[in-house]
Amino acid sequence: MHPGLVLLSARLLDVVTGEPLPQTALAVSGGRISALDDDQRIRALAGPATTVIDLKGAVVTPGLVDGHIHPVMGAELTRGLDLSGCTTLDEVRQALAREIRSLAPGAWLHGWGLDPNVFGDRPVASAALGPVLDGVPALLLLFDAHSMLASPRALELAGVDGPRRFEQHAEIVCDEAGRPTGLLLEDAACELVERAAPRTDPAERRAGLVSALRELAASGLTGGHAMDANGESLSQYADLDAAGELPLRLRVAPWCRPGADNGAVAELIEQQGTGGRLWQVAGVKLFMDGTIDNGTAWLERPDCHGESTHAFWPDPASFTRIIGRLHRAGVPTATHAIGDAAVRHVLDAVEKATSAEYRGVRHRVEHIETVPDDTLRRFGELGVIASMQPTHCCDFTRADHTDNWSRRLGDERASRAWRCRDLWDSGATVVLGSDWPVAPHHPLTVMAGARHRRPTRDLTQPPHGPGQALTALEALQAMTLSPAYAAGEEDQAGRLAIGHRADLTVFAENPLTTPATDLAGLPVLLTVVDGRTTHRDTGL
């Protein structure tokens, strides 16, 4: 049987050693790498229906995998006004004014990527945006995707005129008189106002998701660990997979929220393993806290505003019990934990779950933005995966600690920002991701940020915590070998080896020898998923 795909004249990169493999060509059959050899022998395997591509010396790596991504949410959010490039309030006002001029009367304005640093020392409130939003229903998602600003008209349409009580940690922020400021903290509060906005039609949502996924594939991604299954996510993945339009391999972790009863946990366990050829439910996502920027993280000491003192779970002990139940069922967990107290509690919960009976379940902690020294070694000791997003440090904090995140924490804790190097050296498996749409999805930008730790928009700025940088090889391993290990798939993914999945990324040059400050611009020539080309540069 002839292979379906043959790649010739390649530089095949061994991501274990960082050195090129001795072979120069590979063949793909049935979605797997079926042969590695020289050009002549691999070319001889091709048949009439084989796709043969001469790479002309391009560099092939195992397919890049984003360790933390939200494809459906990202597709929906990025249809709105992109505010991520605005660095001042005036720029935000101007962008909103331009968008409003293009809106139909009464239409809602949706924006995303709003950086709280634009407010400086002023409260994050809709009043700071001046009269530009008068009479316009608007929802502006802050970059952390855990908070948003609602205009007065949006609050009015949603019937929100004062504080509310929520089962989970969330808040309608109000002034001293009890009037909403427009700032909504965490999902429950945001969803209260979002429900008043009209939804797009299903065909438009599908087209938006297809477009977004194609962009992900064009950036070199062959897979992603999707950290939600909200709304129609699973049915959309199933639809695209059946139609041959799913260009990424997705590992999906549905959410388990505070208040989940035994029945809800049982449903999550029952859901495991469902999926299709290129997607599968594998794991459960939980939240231990919110974010430092909006004061909803869980810190061992309050931030400078006296905030970030509580867990997302009103009863943290119930989180521990659920981790234990999922562990005993063989279900891996991925827990959002940003503050030091949150990270410590997750590690405690995993330790308690694994002390009685260990089945090799690979649990994860997501984000890990600031942790003390005594926490580092526990990741390696407990076998807990450290899932990191270095571009959050690069683009939302500053080396001089004048940003909102750093000012809230103070210099001592801000100096412990995103300790990728320390976690790696302590024996943890570090997985890198983008958290798109919170930050840009391009994997080369993520790897570059792990290496240079500088603002993506201005690489002349000093790095935040340069001692926490990863090497070029470590950054590449953290998007190839490490995601495969985290998924328990190291025997079939993450390397260029016979029998491994034919998920491949092809670059114009070697990403390991490309300077970190140039890496984001390295051309991606070809992306292959399951032996199928999902992106091909026109010059190839």
Side-chain angles (χ1 to χ4, degrees), residues 464-478:
H464 189 160
Q468 294 302 325
L470 297 181
T471 67
L473 180 58
E474 289 165 346
L476 180 58
Q477 290 173 340

Side-chain angles (χ1 to χ4, degrees), residues 107-458:
W108 284 64
L109 187 158
H110 292 271
W112 60 282
L114 180 61
D115 186 344
N117 287 300
V118 304
F119 294 88
D121 294 327
R122 301 178 64 172
V124 179
S126 58
L129 299 177
V132 68
L133 292 178
D134 284 354
V136 178
L139 289 174
L140 310 179
L141 189 72
L142 274 73
F143 76 74
D144 62 8
H146 282 251
S147 52
M148 63 172 48
L149 268 182
S151 68
R153 178 58 175 157
L155 293 171
E156 179 186 359
L157 291 173
V160 175
D161 56 7
R164 298 286 181 94
R165 294 181 65 88
F166 300 97
E167 288 186 9
Q168 54 189 259
H169 188 48
E171 183 182 0
I172 307 288
V173 178
C174 296
D175 61 20
E176 293 179 354
R179 296 183 297 261
T181 66
L183 181 59
L184 312 172
L185 302 181
E186 299 301 335
D187 284 342
C190 296
E191 290 168 359
L192 189 65
V193 182
E194 286 177 305
R195 286 197 291 268
R199 291 208 69 191
T200 53
D201 67 80
E204 185 178 352
R205 292 197 298 274
R206 187 186 192 280
L209 178 58
V210 169
S211 176
L213 291 172
R214 287 175 178 167
E215 287 185 18
L216 296 174
S219 72
L221 284 173
T222 64
H225 294 176
M227 291 296 165
D228 67 82
N230 298 332
E232 305 166 335
S233 296
L234 298 185
S235 61
Q236 287 177 309
Y237 296 149
D239 169 43
L240 295 180
D241 195 23
E245 296 182 74
L246 189 58
L248 261 69
R249 191 184 301 275
L250 296 172
R251 177 181 172 87
V252 186
W255 286 1
C256 179
R257 299 174 183 267
D261 58 18
N262 288 337
V265 176
E267 287 181 13
L268 287 168
I269 294 172
E270 181 66 24
Q271 203 174 18
Q272 300 300 304
T274 58
R277 182 173 178 84
L278 290 179
W279 69 278
Q280 183 182 59
V281 175
V284 169
K285 170 76 179 297
L286 305 97
F287 292 81
M288 200 65 245
D289 64 352
T291 69
I292 287 167
D293 277 290
N294 67 26
T296 58
W298 187 16
L299 298 172
E300 294 179 339
R301 301 192 316 276
D303 65 18
C304 70
H305 298 297
E307 297 177 334
S308 284
T309 58
H310 301 290
F312 187 66
W313 290 66
D315 176 19
S318 65
F319 169 89
T320 301
R321 289 192 294 271
I322 287 176
I323 290 290
R325 183 174 176 190
L326 292 171
H327 177 82
R328 290 189 296 274
V331 178
T333 62
T335 303
H336 168 121
I338 280 177
D340 44 18
V343 174
R344 190 182 301 278
H345 189 86
V346 177
L347 294 173
D348 288 345
V350 172
E351 184 172 24
K352 184 174 182 179
T354 59
S355 61
E357 183 180 6
Y358 182 68
R359 297 183 181 180
V361 183
R362 292 171 184 172
H363 301 286
R364 305 164 48 135
V365 181
E366 308 296 318
H367 307 309
I368 320 169
E369 293 186 4
T370 179
V371 289
D373 292 345
D374 66 350
T375 305
L376 298 169
R377 60 174 177 76
R378 298 184 67 198
F379 281 85
E381 291 173 352
L382 295 171
V384 174
I385 311 298
S387 175
M388 312 287 284
Q389 297 76 45
T391 45
H392 291 193
C393 181
C394 295
D395 294 338
F396 304 138
T397 74
R398 300 170 188 153
D400 62 5
H401 295 174
T402 58
D403 59 281
N404 180 59
W405 185 93
S406 300
R407 285 187 289 117
R408 275 185 173 269
L409 286 178
D411 285 341
E412 178 194 351
R413 288 181 291 190
S415 68
R416 303 198 296 251
W418 286 269
R419 300 179 72 173
C420 298
R421 169 86 273 138
D422 289 342
L423 281 162
W424 191 287
D425 288 346
S426 71
T429 296
V430 176
V431 172
L432 295 183
S434 65
D435 198 13
W436 184 74
V438 173
H441 61 72
H442 204 300
L444 289 174
T445 300
V446 173
M447 290 192 294
R451 292 166 56 182
H452 61 58
R453 295 177 69 94
R454 300 172 185 271
T456 304
R457 287 190 293 267
D458 186 358

Side-chain angles (χ1 to χ4, degrees), residues 510-531:
N510 190 340
L512 299 183
T513 57
T514 302
T517 51
D518 296 335
L519 187 61
L522 180 62
V524 176
L525 303 182
L526 188 72
T527 312
V528 176
V529 176
D530 201 43

